[in-house]
Amino acid sequence: MNRTGRLLSALYLAASGGLALTAVHAFRHGPLWAGFLLTAASLVPVVAVVRETVIEELLRASVRTRGRVVRVADDIVRASLDAACCERWWTSLGTDHDVSCPHDVPRSSAA
């Protein structure tokens, strides 16, 4: 893992530890729901570290076979783009859908 990836993973783990410590404090002295919420939140940075590690392993494995680095990076980007349902959803930060998009749910005018 490069220096930036290690620094990012260290920050993720520090954030996770801080959230876990806050969760313990919430379980002891605060409302129970806050403890559960903070426990769940403390797992999110751990997932980010695992994701960084998996991407790094994919890139390392692709370095062994020449010319594969670009393809692995393209596969990661393609999977991320395929997760979006349509182009307008992607460019509007998830607020609008293309006319042909099957996920387009009409908004009601009720407030």
Side-chain angles (χ1 to χ4, degrees), residues 85-91 96-104:
C85 58
C86 62
E87 184 178 349
R88 185 174 294 160
W89 181 90
W90 187 261
T91 57
D96 293 327
H97 292 274
D98 286 337
V99 176
S100 61
C101 181
H103 299 288
D104 187 17

Side-chain angles (χ1 to χ4, degrees), residues 20-43:
L21 187 62
T22 307
V24 169
H25 182 70
F27 276 125
R28 289 184 180 167
H29 306 291
L32 192 59
W33 63 268
F36 286 118
L37 182 68
L38 288 165
T39 301
S42 70
L43 295 177

Side-chain angles (χ1 to χ4, degrees), residues 45-104:
V46 174
V47 171
V49 169
V50 170
R51 184 175 183 269
E52 289 288 328
T53 305
V54 167
I55 289 173
E56 180 66 29
E57 287 177 3
L58 284 174
L59 290 175
R60 247 190 216 156
S62 66
V63 169
R64 292 182 193 140
T65 59
R66 289 188 156 190
R68 184 78 176 122
V69 175
V70 174
R71 288 193 200 132
V72 170
D74 287 344
D75 291 344
I76 292 170
V77 171
R78 186 173 297 112
S80 297
L81 289 174
D82 288 344
C85 58
C86 62
E87 184 178 349
R88 185 174 294 160
W89 181 90
W90 187 261
T91 57
S92 67
L93 301 175
T95 59
D96 293 327
H97 292 274
D98 286 337
V99 176
S100 61
C101 181
H103 299 288
D104 187 17

